[in-house]
Amino acid sequence: MHSYKNTVEGIKSIQKELGHDKVNALATVTSKALNKPHELIDEYIQIGFESIFLRPLSPLGFAYKN
């Protein structure tokens, strides 16, 4: 959780400096996260994002093999 905490702190710092509307994030969602869609969206809201962009995974490199 240490890297997660650092990531969230970094996002919030950049949002404070640039403004919430200037910062976005692209989620990488595992099959485990697909079972908890409300928690994923709630986390985006808690961090201060007002939208979430979803797209299909591009099967490139290592992702293609798995």
Side-chain angles (χ1 to χ4, degrees), residues 1-63:
M1 288 300 274
H2 185 68
S3 60
Y4 172 78
K5 180 181 174 191
N6 288 342
T7 300
V8 171
E9 287 175 0
I11 290 170
K12 289 184 177 190
S13 175
I14 294 168
Q15 287 172 326
K16 185 176 180 182
E17 175 121 0
L18 300 178
H20 286 271
D21 61 327
K22 303 290 186 208
V23 181
N24 295 299
L26 179 61
T28 300
V29 181
T30 65
S31 58
K32 289 181 183 179
L34 290 176
N35 294 325
K36 301 177 181 182
H38 295 284
E39 290 181 26
L40 176 66
I41 293 169
D42 289 345
E43 193 63 25
Y44 264 69
I45 292 168
Q46 187 273 327
I47 293 171
F49 292 112
E50 295 182 4
S51 64
I52 185 168
F53 177 73
L54 302 174
R55 65 178 184 162
L57 177 66
S58 298
L60 302 173
F62 190 72

